Amino acid sequence: MAFSTRLLAGKVGIVTGAGSPHGIGRSLVLSLAAAGARAVYATDLTLANISSLQDEVRAAGSSCKIHGEVLDVSSEEQTIGVVKKAIADHRRLDFYFANAGIGGFRPLQDTDAAYYDRVNAVMQRSFFLAIRYAGQGMSNLSAEKTRPGGSIVVTSSMAGVSGGVADISYASAKAAVSHMVKSASVHLSSTHVRVNAMAPGFIRTSIMATSQAAVEGKAPERALSKEEALRQFDATLGRQGGGGGTSPYYYDRIPEPDEVAHLGVFLASDLAAAVNGQNIVADCGKTAAAFGESIMGPVAPMTPL
């Protein structure tokens, strides 16, 4: 999708979980740059894939400055640090994507409190930190930014609105952030900061290959290629996509991460000025389809009019 470079012209922001070889975070950085952002701080536990991301942004003809920053999103100190750095470097903060996440599935009997706490630290506590400190950073003014304001977007999940998609740790975190946007949108209303959530379904990303290291709070031992990471996805979550892409139903398709990133650009821009406190489910209709064929039976396609 081609964006107008005027859409986010001059804007500066932060994307967490942007260091994977193929994911929503990386796609967000590429799309925000294409929409004219001046600078994006691409953060993760590892910067192994950031140089190729910077190369890809330049190759697309964008002048957006991509800063790579190591960030454990569960750390209050580190979150404050990256927000302050963005403001010190560019005198403004306009958007923050709380996108970092952990995938996988752990049965309830195998789930201990330490694992539950870590998953929620990465995906729920981190969003609180974004609301608290990015929200404050968006009140900083300069000669170029004369009024407070901005957009905070969290990556939620269809697991937050459905009980049969993920384990209890993941589902709890995603359900929590999908409601936190409501409270945050009120508490940041006088600062003119909008807060929304994107709730994707199954997205073809490298999350299955990178999650174990994130659970342990450390960078992966080696950089993964996009191809290697996607092989792991296709062998696990990829099987959920209606028989490897053979399903006749739209709700069974598994999108690429740039499709979610396009929604993110919209939410970061003034096109979404009226959208606040919302959890937008972007799952191709998977949760709406619920039981699929099991109750209604096969659904025939429409015939030409």
Side-chain angles (χ1 to χ4, degrees):
M1 176 180 288
F3 296 104
S4 167
T5 55
R6 297 190 300 274
L7 193 59
L8 295 175
K11 300 294 180 68
V12 175
I14 297 166
V15 179
T16 72
S20 67
H22 187 69
I24 293 172
R26 186 183 180 97
S27 292
L28 278 167
V29 174
L30 291 167
S31 297
L32 292 162
R38 181 201 299 174
V40 179
Y41 287 74
T43 75
D44 215 313
L45 290 172
T46 175
L47 302 183
N49 295 297
I50 299 300
S51 61
S52 66
L53 174 57
Q54 292 166 330
D55 291 343
E56 193 169 350
V57 168
R58 283 192 293 268
S62 171
S63 61
C64 180
K65 174 68 174 176
I66 307 301
H67 301 266
E69 294 288 335
V70 173
L71 173 64
D72 179 346
V73 293
S74 68
S75 167
E76 184 174 31
E77 180 182 6
Q78 291 182 33
T79 301
I80 294 171
V82 74
V83 169
K84 284 186 171 181
K85 181 169 175 50
I87 295 169
D89 290 345
H90 297 281
R91 314 307 301 171
R92 64 188 299 157
L93 182 67
D94 302 290
F95 56 82
Y96 189 111
F97 284 87
N99 170 71
I102 295 173
F105 183 90
R106 186 170 293 195
L108 182 58
Q109 187 163 321
D110 298 333
T111 301
D112 56 20
Y115 176 79
Y116 180 88
D117 287 345
R118 178 58 184 166
V119 170
N120 278 270
V122 171
M123 294 190 289
Q124 182 186 358
R125 172 186 165 91
S126 65
F127 184 41
F128 161 73
L129 296 175
I131 294 164
R132 171 64 180 85
Y133 295 110
Q136 185 175 4
M138 290 174 187
S139 70
N140 282 50
L141 305 180
S142 65
E144 288 188 356
K145 183 176 180 178
T146 58
R147 298 182 61 188
S151 174
I152 298 174
V153 182
V154 63
T155 301
S156 180
S157 169
M158 70 175 182
V161 296
S162 174
V165 175
D167 64 23
I168 195 166
S169 305
Y170 187 93
S172 297
K174 295 303 188 180
V177 301
S178 67
H179 189 79
M180 287 167 70
V181 299
K182 299 181 185 300
S183 180
S185 68
V186 174
H187 288 286
L188 289 174
S189 59
S190 59
T191 312
H192 298 272
V193 173
R194 293 182 294 107
V195 188
N196 292 289
M198 308 182 294
F202 297 116
I203 307 294
R204 193 167 183 257
T205 72
S206 51
I207 192 169
M208 301 305 295
T210 59
S211 287
Q212 184 55 46
V215 168
E216 297 169 2
K218 61 185 183 181
E221 293 181 356
R222 61 184 180 86
L224 289 170
S225 68
K226 171 182 173 180
E227 292 72 24
E228 182 181 2
L230 290 182
R231 279 196 296 272
Q232 291 194 41
F233 178 89
D234 291 339
T236 52
L237 287 179
R239 294 177 300 180
Q240 304 299 321
T246 61
S247 170
Y249 302 125
Y250 190 85
Y251 59 72
D252 273 333
R253 68 183 290 270
I254 295 183
E256 292 293 326
D258 61 344
E259 297 178 53
V260 181
H262 296 162
L263 173 58
V265 170
F266 167 71
L267 291 173
S269 76
D270 289 341
L271 292 176
V275 183
N276 195 17
Q278 303 303 309
N279 181 51
I280 301 173
V281 179
D283 67 350
C284 297
K286 187 70 172 177
T287 50
F291 303 103
E293 291 185 351
S294 64
I295 293 179
M296 295 195 306
V299 178
M302 299 288 281
T303 56
L305 184 62

